[in-house]
Amino acid sequence: MENCSKYRWSVALAIAAMGILPGYASTLSASTNPVFLSQQQQPPRFIQPPRFVEAVATHNNSNATTSTYYFTIRVPEGAGASLRQIQLEQLEGVEFVRLRQGKHVAFLGTRSERGEEIPIASVKRDRDRRIFTVVLDRPVLTGSHVTIGLRPVRNPDTGGVYLYRVGVSPSEESPWQVIGVARLHFYDRGNNDGVELDL
């Protein structure tokens, strides 16, 4: 009889451990499930990455002091996350330009179809790695175009092709994803190929 009672007690404990008897053990909820927690703690990332659209310098003569470099990105409907950060890594070009403090812009849409302005939280210039990092004050939702305009102190002294690898990220904790290479072309003074755009 005693052995039978011990057996029944052992079975009850085993069943309770599986969550069948709430009186003995509680079922693991989503909030305490380790797998769920690990998924929740992962930073957001793009399922379908944004698409780099274009890059334009409004004045592309060397040493021009009134130029703005525009970079346009499309965040698709199926991106799975909003866009918060944009990184430009210079791959080619003699000089790494200096930027004006607090003179940059960001807005929804393209240069030709300019929409609502988006405040910029910060623009960081890493001279050693030749990287510009732009952090927007609020995220750009899926299904939108966004354009950032960086204003240099002046264009490079030396003309030529300048290439920038474009990376994007939904948050400061998320990994960067490369979406293309932007190309800006500057011309030495006296070269008639220089272009000025009216914006």
PDB file of all heavy atoms in Angstrom, residues 3 9 41 43-44 46 59-60 67 69 78 91 93 98 105 119-120 128 137 142-143 160 195:
ATOM      1  N   ASN A   3       3.960   1.464  -1.027  1.00  0.00           N
ATOM      2  CA  ASN A   3       4.624   1.592  -2.329  1.00  0.00           C
ATOM      3  C   ASN A   3       3.694   2.202  -3.360  1.00  0.00           C
ATOM      4  O   ASN A   3       4.090   2.963  -4.221  1.00  0.00           O
ATOM      5  CB  ASN A   3       5.127   0.234  -2.806  1.00  0.00           C
ATOM      6  CG  ASN A   3       6.286  -0.264  -1.944  1.00  0.00           C
ATOM      7  OD1 ASN A   3       6.982   0.540  -1.334  1.00  0.00           O
ATOM      8  ND2 ASN A   3       6.481  -1.584  -1.908  1.00  0.00           N
ATOM      9  N   TRP A   9       2.214   9.395  -5.910  1.00  0.00           N
ATOM     10  CA  TRP A   9       2.817  10.701  -5.645  1.00  0.00           C
ATOM     11  C   TRP A   9       3.881  11.045  -6.680  1.00  0.00           C
ATOM     12  O   TRP A   9       3.964  12.173  -7.161  1.00  0.00           O
ATOM     13  CB  TRP A   9       3.413  10.695  -4.247  1.00  0.00           C
ATOM     14  CG  TRP A   9       4.047  12.013  -3.850  1.00  0.00           C
ATOM     15  CD1 TRP A   9       5.348  12.252  -3.677  1.00  0.00           C
ATOM     16  CD2 TRP A   9       3.375  13.244  -3.612  1.00  0.00           C
ATOM     17  NE1 TRP A   9       5.551  13.563  -3.321  1.00  0.00           N
ATOM     18  CE2 TRP A   9       4.344  14.209  -3.289  1.00  0.00           C
ATOM     19  CE3 TRP A   9       2.027  13.627  -3.649  1.00  0.00           C
ATOM     20  CZ2 TRP A   9       4.022  15.512  -2.986  1.00  0.00           C
ATOM     21  CZ3 TRP A   9       1.714  14.942  -3.352  1.00  0.00           C
ATOM     22  CH2 TRP A   9       2.703  15.876  -3.028  1.00  0.00           C
ATOM     23  N   GLN A  41      14.518  40.021 -27.067  1.00  0.00           N
ATOM     24  CA  GLN A  41      15.696  40.823 -26.800  1.00  0.00           C
ATOM     25  C   GLN A  41      16.527  41.092 -28.053  1.00  0.00           C
ATOM     26  O   GLN A  41      17.430  41.914 -28.016  1.00  0.00           O
ATOM     27  CB  GLN A  41      16.562  40.119 -25.743  1.00  0.00           C
ATOM     28  CG  GLN A  41      15.913  40.099 -24.363  1.00  0.00           C
ATOM     29  CD  GLN A  41      16.606  39.148 -23.400  1.00  0.00           C
ATOM     30  OE1 GLN A  41      17.554  38.452 -23.790  1.00  0.00           O
ATOM     31  NE2 GLN A  41      16.164  39.112 -22.171  1.00  0.00           N
ATOM     32  N   PRO A  43      17.595  42.799 -31.379  1.00  0.00           N
ATOM     33  CA  PRO A  43      17.289  44.097 -31.984  1.00  0.00           C
ATOM     34  C   PRO A  43      16.589  43.913 -33.330  1.00  0.00           C
ATOM     35  O   PRO A  43      16.752  42.883 -33.982  1.00  0.00           O
ATOM     36  CB  PRO A  43      18.669  44.732 -32.154  1.00  0.00           C
ATOM     37  CG  PRO A  43      19.614  43.574 -32.228  1.00  0.00           C
ATOM     38  CD  PRO A  43      19.035  42.522 -31.318  1.00  0.00           C
ATOM     39  N   PRO A  44      15.811  44.909 -33.750  1.00  0.00           N
ATOM     40  CA  PRO A  44      15.110  44.794 -35.035  1.00  0.00           C
ATOM     41  C   PRO A  44      16.085  44.746 -36.202  1.00  0.00           C
ATOM     42  O   PRO A  44      17.177  45.312 -36.133  1.00  0.00           O
ATOM     43  CB  PRO A  44      14.250  46.058 -35.083  1.00  0.00           C
ATOM     44  CG  PRO A  44      14.956  47.017 -34.179  1.00  0.00           C
ATOM     45  CD  PRO A  44      15.546  46.185 -33.091  1.00  0.00           C
ATOM     46  N   PHE A  46      16.124  44.329 -40.837  1.00  0.00           N
ATOM     47  CA  PHE A  46      15.321  44.354 -42.049  1.00  0.00           C
ATOM     48  C   PHE A  46      15.131  42.940 -42.610  1.00  0.00           C
ATOM     49  O   PHE A  46      16.084  42.169 -42.699  1.00  0.00           O
ATOM     50  CB  PHE A  46      15.976  45.233 -43.119  1.00  0.00           C
ATOM     51  CG  PHE A  46      16.047  46.677 -42.740  1.00  0.00           C
ATOM     52  CD1 PHE A  46      17.269  47.303 -42.556  1.00  0.00           C
ATOM     53  CD2 PHE A  46      14.896  47.429 -42.570  1.00  0.00           C
ATOM     54  CE1 PHE A  46      17.350  48.637 -42.208  1.00  0.00           C
ATOM     55  CE2 PHE A  46      14.954  48.768 -42.217  1.00  0.00           C
ATOM     56  CZ  PHE A  46      16.194  49.371 -42.035  1.00  0.00           C
ATOM     57  N   HIS A  59      26.326  71.160 -56.485  1.00  0.00           N
ATOM     58  CA  HIS A  59      27.416  71.876 -57.152  1.00  0.00           C
ATOM     59  C   HIS A  59      28.603  70.919 -57.178  1.00  0.00           C
ATOM     60  O   HIS A  59      29.061  70.486 -56.118  1.00  0.00           O
ATOM     61  CB  HIS A  59      27.804  73.162 -56.414  1.00  0.00           C
ATOM     62  CG  HIS A  59      26.685  74.146 -56.292  1.00  0.00           C
ATOM     63  ND1 HIS A  59      26.515  75.217 -57.143  1.00  0.00           N
ATOM     64  CD2 HIS A  59      25.669  74.222 -55.404  1.00  0.00           C
ATOM     65  CE1 HIS A  59      25.448  75.903 -56.793  1.00  0.00           C
ATOM     66  NE2 HIS A  59      24.918  75.321 -55.734  1.00  0.00           N
ATOM     67  N   ASN A  60      29.093  70.594 -58.343  1.00  0.00           N
ATOM     68  CA  ASN A  60      30.163  69.590 -58.384  1.00  0.00           C
ATOM     69  C   ASN A  60      31.496  70.105 -58.922  1.00  0.00           C
ATOM     70  O   ASN A  60      32.347  69.330 -59.314  1.00  0.00           O
ATOM     71  CB  ASN A  60      29.723  68.331 -59.139  1.00  0.00           C
ATOM     72  CG  ASN A  60      29.376  68.607 -60.582  1.00  0.00           C
ATOM     73  OD1 ASN A  60      29.475  69.739 -61.061  1.00  0.00           O
ATOM     74  ND2 ASN A  60      28.967  67.562 -61.284  1.00  0.00           N
ATOM     75  N   SER A  67      27.549  73.642 -51.930  1.00  0.00           N
ATOM     76  CA  SER A  67      27.001  72.364 -52.394  1.00  0.00           C
ATOM     77  C   SER A  67      26.283  71.614 -51.267  1.00  0.00           C
ATOM     78  O   SER A  67      26.581  71.799 -50.081  1.00  0.00           O
ATOM     79  CB  SER A  67      28.119  71.481 -52.958  1.00  0.00           C
ATOM     80  OG  SER A  67      27.580  70.334 -53.567  1.00  0.00           O
ATOM     81  N   TYR A  69      25.056  67.459 -50.616  1.00  0.00           N
ATOM     82  CA  TYR A  69      25.096  66.090 -51.132  1.00  0.00           C
ATOM     83  C   TYR A  69      23.814  65.381 -50.692  1.00  0.00           C
ATOM     84  O   TYR A  69      23.597  65.155 -49.493  1.00  0.00           O
ATOM     85  CB  TYR A  69      26.306  65.325 -50.587  1.00  0.00           C
ATOM     86  CG  TYR A  69      27.644  65.995 -50.805  1.00  0.00           C
ATOM     87  CD1 TYR A  69      28.733  65.666 -49.996  1.00  0.00           C
ATOM     88  CD2 TYR A  69      27.835  66.945 -51.817  1.00  0.00           C
ATOM     89  CE1 TYR A  69      29.970  66.271 -50.188  1.00  0.00           C
ATOM     90  CE2 TYR A  69      29.059  67.549 -52.006  1.00  0.00           C
ATOM     91  CZ  TYR A  69      30.129  67.213 -51.197  1.00  0.00           C
ATOM     92  OH  TYR A  69      31.346  67.827 -51.384  1.00  0.00           O
ATOM     93  N   GLY A  78       7.677  45.747 -47.419  1.00  0.00           N
ATOM     94  CA  GLY A  78       8.026  44.500 -46.749  1.00  0.00           C
ATOM     95  C   GLY A  78       9.331  44.541 -45.990  1.00  0.00           C
ATOM     96  O   GLY A  78       9.925  43.491 -45.716  1.00  0.00           O
ATOM     97  N   LEU A  91      34.809  54.957 -50.056  1.00  0.00           N
ATOM     98  CA  LEU A  91      35.643  53.902 -50.623  1.00  0.00           C
ATOM     99  C   LEU A  91      36.687  54.441 -51.580  1.00  0.00           C
ATOM    100  O   LEU A  91      37.749  53.843 -51.755  1.00  0.00           O
ATOM    101  CB  LEU A  91      34.759  52.889 -51.369  1.00  0.00           C
ATOM    102  CG  LEU A  91      33.641  52.208 -50.572  1.00  0.00           C
ATOM    103  CD1 LEU A  91      32.825  51.314 -51.500  1.00  0.00           C
ATOM    104  CD2 LEU A  91      34.206  51.411 -49.420  1.00  0.00           C
ATOM    105  N   GLY A  93      38.292  58.282 -53.492  1.00  0.00           N
ATOM    106  CA  GLY A  93      38.336  59.736 -53.485  1.00  0.00           C
ATOM    107  C   GLY A  93      39.518  60.212 -52.654  1.00  0.00           C
ATOM    108  O   GLY A  93      39.808  59.652 -51.596  1.00  0.00           O
ATOM    109  N   ARG A  98      35.072  67.814 -44.912  1.00  0.00           N
ATOM    110  CA  ARG A  98      34.542  68.251 -43.621  1.00  0.00           C
ATOM    111  C   ARG A  98      33.113  68.748 -43.816  1.00  0.00           C
ATOM    112  O   ARG A  98      32.773  69.311 -44.866  1.00  0.00           O
ATOM    113  CB  ARG A  98      35.417  69.361 -43.031  1.00  0.00           C
ATOM    114  CG  ARG A  98      36.790  68.865 -42.602  1.00  0.00           C
ATOM    115  CD  ARG A  98      37.601  69.959 -41.917  1.00  0.00           C
ATOM    116  NE  ARG A  98      37.885  71.081 -42.806  1.00  0.00           N
ATOM    117  CZ  ARG A  98      37.464  72.338 -42.599  1.00  0.00           C
ATOM    118  NH1 ARG A  98      36.728  72.623 -41.543  1.00  0.00           N
ATOM    119  NH2 ARG A  98      37.787  73.293 -43.448  1.00  0.00           N
ATOM    120  N   VAL A 105      20.024  68.316 -43.614  1.00  0.00           N
ATOM    121  CA  VAL A 105      18.570  68.175 -43.681  1.00  0.00           C
ATOM    122  C   VAL A 105      18.201  66.715 -43.965  1.00  0.00           C
ATOM    123  O   VAL A 105      19.008  65.937 -44.492  1.00  0.00           O
ATOM    124  CB  VAL A 105      17.959  69.076 -44.779  1.00  0.00           C
ATOM    125  CG1 VAL A 105      18.173  70.538 -44.450  1.00  0.00           C
ATOM    126  CG2 VAL A 105      18.546  68.739 -46.152  1.00  0.00           C
ATOM    127  N   PRO A 119      13.613  65.701 -38.390  1.00  0.00           N
ATOM    128  CA  PRO A 119      14.759  66.211 -37.625  1.00  0.00           C
ATOM    129  C   PRO A 119      15.892  65.186 -37.580  1.00  0.00           C
ATOM    130  O   PRO A 119      15.654  63.980 -37.563  1.00  0.00           O
ATOM    131  CB  PRO A 119      14.176  66.446 -36.222  1.00  0.00           C
ATOM    132  CG  PRO A 119      12.697  66.525 -36.422  1.00  0.00           C
ATOM    133  CD  PRO A 119      12.388  65.630 -37.580  1.00  0.00           C
ATOM    134  N   ILE A 120      17.112  65.684 -37.580  1.00  0.00           N
ATOM    135  CA  ILE A 120      18.295  64.825 -37.490  1.00  0.00           C
ATOM    136  C   ILE A 120      18.815  64.861 -36.056  1.00  0.00           C
ATOM    137  O   ILE A 120      19.077  65.931 -35.509  1.00  0.00           O
ATOM    138  CB  ILE A 120      19.385  65.279 -38.471  1.00  0.00           C
ATOM    139  CG1 ILE A 120      18.895  65.085 -39.920  1.00  0.00           C
ATOM    140  CG2 ILE A 120      20.677  64.517 -38.242  1.00  0.00           C
ATOM    141  CD1 ILE A 120      19.890  65.585 -40.965  1.00  0.00           C
ATOM    142  N   ASP A 128      39.142  58.644 -39.230  1.00  0.00           N
ATOM    143  CA  ASP A 128      40.047  57.506 -39.396  1.00  0.00           C
ATOM    144  C   ASP A 128      39.468  56.451 -40.328  1.00  0.00           C
ATOM    145  O   ASP A 128      40.177  55.884 -41.163  1.00  0.00           O
ATOM    146  CB  ASP A 128      40.363  56.881 -38.034  1.00  0.00           C
ATOM    147  CG  ASP A 128      41.165  57.821 -37.147  1.00  0.00           C
ATOM    148  OD1 ASP A 128      41.875  58.690 -37.694  1.00  0.00           O
ATOM    149  OD2 ASP A 128      41.060  57.714 -35.913  1.00  0.00           O
ATOM    150  N   ASP A 137      15.975  61.616 -35.981  1.00  0.00           N
ATOM    151  CA  ASP A 137      15.302  61.817 -34.704  1.00  0.00           C
ATOM    152  C   ASP A 137      14.098  60.898 -34.537  1.00  0.00           C
ATOM    153  O   ASP A 137      13.711  60.567 -33.425  1.00  0.00           O
ATOM    154  CB  ASP A 137      14.863  63.278 -34.579  1.00  0.00           C
ATOM    155  CG  ASP A 137      14.396  63.619 -33.180  1.00  0.00           C
ATOM    156  OD1 ASP A 137      15.185  63.433 -32.243  1.00  0.00           O
ATOM    157  OD2 ASP A 137      13.240  64.050 -33.031  1.00  0.00           O
ATOM    158  N   THR A 142       7.945  52.056 -43.199  1.00  0.00           N
ATOM    159  CA  THR A 142       7.995  51.304 -44.446  1.00  0.00           C
ATOM    160  C   THR A 142       7.076  51.941 -45.489  1.00  0.00           C
ATOM    161  O   THR A 142       6.094  52.608 -45.157  1.00  0.00           O
ATOM    162  CB  THR A 142       7.574  49.845 -44.212  1.00  0.00           C
ATOM    163  OG1 THR A 142       6.236  49.826 -43.673  1.00  0.00           O
ATOM    164  CG2 THR A 142       8.505  49.161 -43.227  1.00  0.00           C
ATOM    165  N   GLY A 143       7.416  51.716 -46.757  1.00  0.00           N
ATOM    166  CA  GLY A 143       6.631  52.285 -47.848  1.00  0.00           C
ATOM    167  C   GLY A 143       6.954  53.742 -48.127  1.00  0.00           C
ATOM    168  O   GLY A 143       6.143  54.451 -48.721  1.00  0.00           O
ATOM    169  N   GLY A 160      37.415  64.389 -59.306  1.00  0.00           N
ATOM    170  CA  GLY A 160      37.452  62.951 -59.513  1.00  0.00           C
ATOM    171  C   GLY A 160      36.193  62.288 -58.982  1.00  0.00           C
ATOM    172  O   GLY A 160      35.246  62.954 -58.556  1.00  0.00           O
ATOM    173  N   VAL A 195      28.672  70.993 -63.025  1.00  0.00           N
ATOM    174  CA  VAL A 195      27.216  71.156 -63.082  1.00  0.00           C
ATOM    175  C   VAL A 195      26.732  71.791 -61.799  1.00  0.00           C
ATOM    176  O   VAL A 195      27.195  71.474 -60.709  1.00  0.00           O
ATOM    177  CB  VAL A 195      26.520  69.784 -63.268  1.00  0.00           C
ATOM    178  CG1 VAL A 195      25.016  69.947 -63.218  1.00  0.00           C
ATOM    179  CG2 VAL A 195      26.937  69.161 -64.604  1.00  0.00           C
TER     180      VAL A 195
END
